[in-house]
Amino acid sequence: MSLILYVDRNRISPYALSAFVALREKRVSFTVQDVDLDAGAARQPPFSTLSLTQRVPAIDHDGFILTESNAIADYLDDVFAAPDYPSVLPRDVRQRARARQVQAWLRSDLLALRNECDSTVVFHPPRADHAPLSPAAQAAAAKLLQIAGELVHGDYLAGAWSIADTDLALMLLRLIKSGEPVPPALRDYALAQWQRASVQQWLAQVPSPQLA
């Protein structure tokens, strides 16, 4: 079997992280291939001819190419299915649908917050001149905290870990790392998710800002 994961060279894509964590949690063998997004490599051959959407993450599984981290997580659970492999999404139908809902929401909403607390703040030390959040970003942050507070009860969203926990933790960490107020329960939840071995393996590969 050949399985390649294409990620951003700087390792600051939250979606590449999500795909990497899903593969690590599956405990399958794969290799990582960097794509230099800053140099426009995603829009140039060979990657542009490989990836339909010209975006990372992408996987190449024995010649089958797939992009978008949500689709990759679903595919991995279908191809490397339980009980032979750990699940990355809940196996209960309703809990699985809820996890997918959380993932889709995090990728399609809260734009002002994602713009003003971009993913670099999660993977690198925040800048001293980090500007206060705009009213739009403050509203997005309040919405995030309200919904996360309704979703998080205990250590995980669905009684056991799923990839949606990693995705939600990363969004909360945009606030935490920026010094914005986050309720203690949500802060503890996000920081605990960040200590997961699969996440730490990604973080160990993040280059310093001088080298990125």
Side-chain angles (χ1 to χ4, degrees), residues 2-212:
S2 172
L3 183 51
I4 303 170
L5 171 66
Y6 293 86
V7 304
D8 59 310
R9 181 181 67 87
N10 293 337
R11 301 292 201 279
I12 59 172
S13 165
Y15 313 119
L17 162 70
S18 185
F20 177 90
V21 167
L23 281 163
R24 284 294 187 204
E25 295 288 342
K26 279 293 177 186
R27 302 173 192 166
V28 295
S29 177
F30 67 99
T31 59
V32 177
Q33 181 74 44
D34 288 347
V35 179
D36 191 346
L37 301 184
D38 292 339
R43 300 183 299 275
Q44 302 169 3
F47 187 76
S48 64
T49 58
L50 178 80
S51 167
L52 177 66
T53 59
Q54 300 180 11
R55 295 178 4 142
V56 297
I59 60 169
D60 179 345
H61 181 212
D62 290 337
F64 175 70
I65 315 300
L66 186 67
T67 61
E68 306 303 319
S69 56
N70 285 6
I72 290 170
D74 274 330
Y75 177 77
L76 293 176
D77 259 359
D78 288 339
V79 174
F80 303 103
D84 294 331
Y85 298 90
S87 296
V88 297
L89 287 163
R91 298 181 68 183
D92 175 81
V93 171
R94 292 187 174 182
Q95 289 184 340
R96 187 181 183 95
R98 182 71 74 190
R100 286 171 168 156
Q101 174 184 271
V102 170
Q103 288 185 293
W105 167 61
L106 292 172
R107 287 157 172 74
S108 61
D109 200 358
L110 312 174
L111 180 61
L113 177 60
R114 286 187 280 130
N115 284 340
E116 296 181 31
C117 294
D118 65 28
S119 59
T120 57
V121 76
V122 177
F123 298 107
H124 297 310
R127 300 192 310 268
D129 61 348
H130 181 73
L133 295 181
S134 69
Q138 290 178 26
K143 182 177 182 180
L144 168 63
L145 296 178
Q146 176 192 348
I147 294 175
E150 295 176 7
L151 290 170
V152 175
H153 299 286
D155 296 334
Y156 306 109
L157 293 173
W161 177 87
S162 79
I163 194 61
D165 287 298
T166 299
D167 292 346
L168 179 58
L170 189 146
M171 187 63 79
L172 290 168
L173 278 159
R174 293 175 188 264
L175 294 177
I176 294 169
K177 296 284 190 176
S178 299
E180 300 294 331
V182 173
L186 292 179
R187 182 183 181 90
D188 291 346
Y189 161 81
L191 293 177
Q193 299 305 320
W194 221 235
Q195 292 305 310
R196 197 166 182 89
S198 53
V199 175
Q200 289 295 309
Q201 289 165 4
W202 173 270
L203 296 177
Q205 300 177 19
V206 176
S208 66
Q210 295 81 8
L211 300 177

